[in-house]
Amino acid sequence: MHLGTRLNYPTLAPQQQKRHVMTDSTLSIMQPDPAGLMDAAKLLQAGKLVAFPTETVYGLGADARDDTAVAGIYAAKGRPSFNPLIVHLADQEMGETLCAFNDDAQRLASAFWPGALTLVLPLKPDTGISRLVTAGLQTLAIRVPDHPVAQGLLTAFGGPVAAPSANPSGRVSPTTAAHVAAGLENKIDGLVDGGACGVGLESTIVSCVGAPTLLRAGGIPAEAIAACLNRPLATAADPATPMAPGQLASHYAPNGTIRLNAHTAEKGEVMLGFGPVDAPLNLSPSGDLTEAAARLFDCLHQLDAMAATRIAVSPIPNHGLGVAINDRLRRAAAPRD
Ligand code: AMP
Ligand code: MG
């Protein structure tokens, strides 16, 4: 079914967020018509996980402002680490409410959006974007997809949707609804069936923070981007820009030193608890790993705000989301330059 690029979909009124609970929910499969997209948008508004087609691959979407829903993405994919996620938007205007666009970013957005180009830009303050989406960074990766079904869903939802590829971590990216269902059937709430994806490659990622830098090759050739900017792109391998997409998340760590697997705080330490322990900050007093993941980056920022110089962290069980939480804490605890 072809929908044309800009149909006039009804837009959902903003509602209070409901919390997302990870259950073995049955998967609703939605058709890419206005009624189906409205249902899918309602699921997103309720903090649920919805897979949808884009021109690159199927994305696994959640409201980018809802910490618990975003934690659900990591749980569903079984991701062992918190890489920052790409936020999908209906248009550049929404992007400008979230990020600062310099001249390079303006030029690239005008030339390639909607399309398979993701821009990493400075995040504006107080946007409500979950810190789990940015992995605590002050930058945000955004793109406007060029697919009528993705456009329709994003317009109906009317907000930012965080969406990595809709496959279990380590498996091939899905380009049909059947691939998504095969990998994630019992782990997500909705799936919009929009047929096969056209590009089948992931988006090209360019950082416009400082000199324009290619962070990941993808659907739009780097040459086309350089031609548009009238200068070559720096690459993540350049010594001047020592960052690779997968490693960027490691740039955020709290200022204090961290001691892991601590049962009590020693003198001078601030305790970051997990489970029923006496601590000024607790990732999840009830020992819920989804809640702990949702709160992790906020807690790390709060420790900075408290000027904590030494931090003791309770043991976190190393299964499910605990694997990604422990990965992040271990990196934060590692000696720094
Ligand atoms: P995926 O979630 O598999 O589509 O991958 C998203 C990619 O975008 C990863 O390589 C991330 O590291 C990268 N990314 C997302 N946000 C940022 C950011 N703020 N800065 C740099 N890279 C980012
Ligand atoms: Mg992927």
Side-chain angles (χ1 to χ4, degrees):
M1 163 184 257
H2 186 70
L3 287 168
T5 29
R6 285 263 181 183
L7 282 191
N8 215 2
Y9 291 108
T11 302
L12 288 170
Q15 290 176 345
Q16 263 215 298
Q17 281 175 12
K18 292 182 208 143
R19 310 315 295 168
H20 178 71
V21 185
M22 287 303 295
T23 55
D24 273 4
S25 54
T26 27
L27 174 62
S28 316
I29 300 198
M30 275 136 327
Q31 292 310 303
D33 52 30
L37 294 177
M38 197 65 169
D39 288 345
K42 283 185 183 149
L43 284 177
L44 288 173
Q45 283 203 333
K48 307 282 187 192
L49 302 182
V50 178
F52 61 97
T54 76
E55 79 278 37
T56 59
V57 300
Y58 271 72
L60 176 54
D63 183 342
R65 300 158 299 192
D66 183 331
D67 292 325
T68 311
V70 176
I73 290 179
Y74 285 95
K77 285 182 64 90
R79 269 200 178 181
S81 62
F82 293 121
N83 266 347
L85 301 174
I86 296 172
V87 167
H88 293 66
L89 305 168
D91 50 37
Q92 185 181 344
E93 206 181 316
M94 191 181 292
E96 287 177 7
T97 67
L98 301 173
C99 293
F101 282 66
N102 61 12
D103 289 349
D104 292 328
Q106 283 292 355
R107 196 181 275 238
L108 292 176
S110 309
F112 296 106
W113 282 357
L117 176 66
T118 295
L119 296 177
V120 172
L121 303 175
L123 178 64
K124 288 186 172 173
D126 304 323
T127 58
I129 293 290
S130 167
R131 282 204 170 113
L132 203 49
V133 167
T134 60
L137 299 169
Q138 302 299 326
T139 54
L140 182 68
I142 56 175
R143 99 175 175 96
V144 176
D146 184 18
H147 189 291
V149 177
Q151 281 277 335
L153 176 60
L154 292 165
T155 304
F157 177 60
V161 173
S165 53
N167 52 290
S169 183
R171 301 255 296 272
V172 177
S173 291
T175 53
T176 66
H179 294 164
V180 177
L184 297 174
E185 183 152 22
N186 298 318
K187 304 208 162 75
I188 63 176
D189 306 292
L191 166 58
V192 184
D193 183 354
C197 302
V199 179
L201 275 178
E202 280 153 331
S203 62
T204 305
I205 306 180
V206 172
S207 166
C208 289
V209 181
T213 303
L214 181 69
L215 298 183
R216 178 176 82 187
I220 294 188
E223 292 79 4
I225 296 165
C228 169
L229 293 174
N230 227 347
R231 60 181 155 145
L233 287 175
T235 60
D238 288 351
T241 54
M243 50 186 205
Q247 292 162 2
L248 269 173
S250 66
H251 285 209
Y252 182 74
N255 295 319
T257 57
I258 293 187
R259 184 167 66 88
L260 300 174
N261 296 317
H263 290 279
T264 51
E266 288 167 5
K267 199 159 175 282
E269 284 182 337
V270 178
M271 185 87 193
L272 174 60
F274 176 85
V277 292
D278 183 23
L281 277 179
N282 199 315
L283 290 165
S284 171
S286 66
D288 177 310
L289 287 168
T290 301
E291 182 185 27
R295 286 176 40 73
L296 177 64
F297 288 97
D298 275 335
C299 284
L300 297 180
H301 277 270
Q302 279 185 55
L303 287 161
D304 280 347
M306 293 161 71
T309 52
R310 293 170 55 210
I311 301 158
V313 188
S314 294
I316 313 284
N318 205 40
H319 58 79
L321 279 172
V323 176
I325 296 171
N326 282 321
D327 169 75
R328 167 59 37 209
L329 289 170
R330 264 197 307 276
R331 289 180 200 227
R336 302 176 207 152
D337 300 332

